[in-house]
Amino acid sequence: MRLHWNDLPTATRDAVAARTGPIHAATTVDKGLNSEIAATLETGAGRVFVKGLRCDHPRVWTQQREATINPHVAPLASRLLWQIDDGEWNLLGFEYLDGRPADYSPGSADLALIADAITALAAVRAPVDFELKQIEQRFADYLDNSDDGRLLRGNTLLHTDWTPDNVLIVDGAARVVDWAWPTRGAAWIDAACWTVWLIASGHTAHDAEQWAAKTPGWADAPARALDVFATAQQRLWNGIAVDAPDVPWKRNLADAAAQWAAHRRGGRRER
């Protein structure tokens, strides 16, 4: 359940104000699923975006992971300004991005901007001094064998969660936010994850792959690796949809992943 700013303890709000200066107003952000608190704060120094979890939340470790990875992905991501852990709440304060969620629909002018962002991310090497989950570990339950897993390996820093709410269009560029789940893997995988979202937004599987092919990492992806990943995506999203039968967008993503997997099985590859 998303809480509001005034639901936080007074001591926690005071700790934030010590970093930001006086807080004149706070607006709850309804986008995103991973934070108990997400709000835009109006301060004398400008706006700040705050997100966080209780310290006893089972996923509170994602807060530290996002804080640690931030220097590697800014300025493509929103820059982290501060972190607070007062024993009750763990909060991250980011520069506010005055933008809107990306439009993935066919013909959208945003598509080229997103391809540019994925291209930029594909050039970011995963930090060697930071423990990251490998993509083949994250998808192990959806792969047939370890040989399939080896096809996904790489040293690129991946985002993997390409919901339009995580891609903000700001001043004519795409910025990628919510880095709670950074992963190490092959450079083409973010484009492959985007493919499913494109299909869910109205693209054919063929056209979605054409957009993915505008990113340089895609050209390095073996056809077999794309086949394996498409099947894994189908299995992943189908499981998510089955667990939440009353959530239409999850079924929409499951249907899109199934379309892509069928496209791959049909041999309609662009290389």
Side-chain angles (χ1 to χ4, degrees), residues 25 73 84 119 143 156 169 176 183 203 224 227 230 233 253 258-259 270:
V73 295
I84 289 173
T119 296
L143 302 173
T156 296
I169 305 302
V176 186
T183 305
H203 295 257
R224 172 63 183 159
D227 295 346
Q233 287 278 286
L253 266 294
Q259 289 178 47
E270 300 308 316

Side-chain angles (χ1 to χ4, degrees), residues 18 56 59 103 113-114 135 137 140 152 176 178 188 224 263-264 269:
D56 61 357
R59 292 197 311 274
D103 178 1
L113 303 179
I114 301 157
I135 192 68
Q137 294 173 320
L152 312 183
V176 186
D178 196 352
W188 52 267
R224 172 63 183 159
H263 175 78
R264 299 300 308 175
R269 306 182 179 95

Side-chain angles (χ1 to χ4, degrees), residues 84-156:
I84 289 173
D85 184 338
D86 64 3
E88 189 170 357
W89 280 89
N90 189 302
L91 302 177
L92 302 177
F94 292 92
E95 67 172 338
Y96 177 78
L97 296 180
D98 189 9
R100 57 172 175 78
D103 178 1
Y104 285 3
S105 62
S108 168
D110 294 350
L111 299 176
L113 303 179
I114 301 157
D116 288 344
I118 293 175
T119 296
L121 278 179
V124 179
R125 301 298 89 179
V128 297
D129 58 345
F130 181 44
E131 183 180 353
L132 288 173
K133 214 159 200 183
Q134 304 280 356
I135 192 68
E136 67 270 21
Q137 294 173 320
R138 279 190 56 187
F139 280 83
D141 291 344
Y142 311 107
L143 302 173
D144 290 331
N145 52 60
S146 59
D147 287 338
D148 285 350
R150 280 192 282 271
L151 293 170
L152 312 183
R153 287 182 183 172
N155 292 314
T156 296

Side-chain angles (χ1 to χ4, degrees), residues 33 104 138-139 141-142 159-164 166 189-190 192-200 229-245 247-261:
L33 302 173
Y104 285 3
R138 279 190 56 187
F139 280 83
D141 291 344
Y142 311 107
H159 186 280
T160 72
D161 186 4
W162 289 88
T163 169
N166 285 344
I189 286 175
D190 269 335
C193 293
W194 185 41
T195 296
V196 176
W197 284 94
L198 289 175
I199 296 170
F229 194 71
T231 298
Q233 287 278 286
Q234 179 182 15
R235 293 168 177 171
L236 166 68
W237 282 109
N238 187 64
I240 291 172
V242 168
D243 289 341
V247 183
W249 71 265
K250 294 183 178 182
R251 172 45 56 191
N252 188 34
L253 266 294
D255 292 343
Q259 289 178 47
W260 187 36

Side-chain angles (χ1 to χ4, degrees), residues 59-82:
R59 292 197 311 274
V60 70
W61 58 269
T62 63
Q63 290 280 109
Q64 185 57 50
R65 176 156 290 188
E66 184 161 5
T68 304
I69 208 69
N70 185 260
H72 299 276
V73 295
L76 189 62
S78 179
R79 184 169 61 91
L80 180 66
L81 303 175
W82 44 260

